[in-house]
Amino acid sequence: MSYRHTEQRKTSRPDETARLAALWALGVLDSAADPAIDEITELAAAICGTPMAAVSLVDSDRVWFKATTGMPARQIGRQSSFCTQVVADPNRPFVVTDARTDPRFAGNRMVTGEPHVRFYAGTPLVSTSGHVLGSLCVIDRDSRDLSEHQFWVLGTLARQVTRLIEHRAESRLLIETRSAVDAIISVDAYGRIISFNDGASTIFGYDGRSMIGRSVSMLIPSGSVGAHTAGMA
């Protein structure tokens, strides 16, 4: 299997509204540094032999870096970013072997000035919903390419970054849900309780752990059970 593609791929922005919604829902933009993601970024640079690497997240008008190696910037305008190209295709990396000879980037300020980008390879960060959040990219000041093995490793590391970002978001949501004052109860398609936060425990007087797997109908007034059951059908 080849992990390469042609450099002449056209940029498109399929379902950009849904993609941005998926990114914003994760609450990762402008978040604190994550040591695990920092280490993956450093590992990507080391394996690919590049002086720079980054985990980039493509926002509506900017590209924000969750982690960087060899790059001082925390964000850049989307119009100046190579990473913007990555969101066009969730299935393969985007590669520019020499930005000076690529008409799309030859006049880019990151090419003509610091950090003098010549080589760029970015692998998509694809969410479980199938949206490209950004990229794990490696950058060099010299024209070059990566081996098939390096592309494979870069893709593997990108999937690890995505899993970490989504896991962090799920953990934050769980903490917020459990600490909410209001009762928040989740049920499956059969009306069985799958989550029962502290607010629900306070209001209904049941221990949350004991409620998991029980029917939500036990919390509904007897005169309303029939209507609730019909609504679940």
Side-chain angles (χ1 to χ4, degrees):
M1 176 180 178
S2 175
Y3 293 91
R4 291 197 45 79
H5 66 89
T6 64
E7 294 185 11
Q8 301 303 314
R9 182 178 64 188
K10 295 182 179 179
T11 304
S12 62
R13 297 172 70 175
D15 204 5
E16 181 68 358
T17 300
R19 190 194 71 79
L20 287 171
L23 172 62
W24 295 338
L26 292 170
V28 65
L29 292 171
D30 301 308
S31 59
D34 187 318
I37 295 179
D38 289 343
E39 289 180 357
I40 291 175
T41 306
E42 294 170 0
L43 182 60
I47 290 174
C48 295
T50 60
M52 293 172 279
V55 169
S56 69
L57 299 171
V58 182
D59 200 358
S60 57
D61 58 358
R62 62 170 178 158
V63 173
W64 182 75
F65 299 117
K66 176 62 179 172
T68 62
T69 294
M71 297 172 56
R74 294 303 300 169
Q75 67 178 30
I76 59 174
R78 183 166 171 170
Q79 71 280 2
S80 302
S81 175
F82 287 69
C83 300
T84 299
Q85 302 281 336
V86 179
V87 303
D89 190 341
N91 299 312
R92 55 185 181 177
F94 177 74
V95 183
V96 177
T97 55
D98 190 344
R100 293 170 299 183
T101 62
D102 190 313
R104 296 168 298 177
F105 302 107
N108 189 296
R109 63 183 180 86
M110 296 184 68
V111 176
T112 59
E114 288 292 338
H116 296 290
V117 175
R118 297 293 179 266
F119 169 76
Y120 173 93
T123 298
L125 303 177
V126 184
S127 70
T128 53
S129 60
H131 296 101
V132 180
L133 307 174
S135 73
L136 171 61
C137 61
V138 291
I139 302 167
D140 205 333
R141 297 183 180 90
D142 297 317
S143 175
R144 53 168 301 173
D145 206 345
L146 298 181
S147 68
E148 289 291 314
H149 178 69
Q150 287 170 321
F151 277 117
W152 178 83
V153 172
L154 199 61
T156 300
L157 294 177
R159 288 189 292 274
Q160 291 182 11
V161 168
T162 306
R163 283 195 290 268
L164 280 171
I165 289 174
E166 293 187 323
H167 175 70
R168 303 289 193 259
E170 291 168 359
S171 297
R172 284 194 301 272
L173 179 60
L174 179 60
I175 292 171
E176 291 169 0
T177 299
R178 288 189 59 82
S179 62
V181 175
D182 294 333
I184 301 178
I185 303 167
S186 300
V187 300
D188 62 16
Y190 301 98
R192 294 179 300 224
I193 296 172
I194 56 177
S195 71
F196 198 88
N197 79 331
D198 292 343
S201 295
T202 299
I203 292 172
F204 292 102
Y206 294 103
D207 177 71
R209 288 171 295 183
S210 70
M211 294 300 292
I212 304 303
R214 303 179 72 174
S215 174
V216 72
S217 63
M218 67 178 292
L219 304 175
I220 300 171
S222 59
S224 303
V225 172
H228 171 75
T229 303
M232 292 288 293

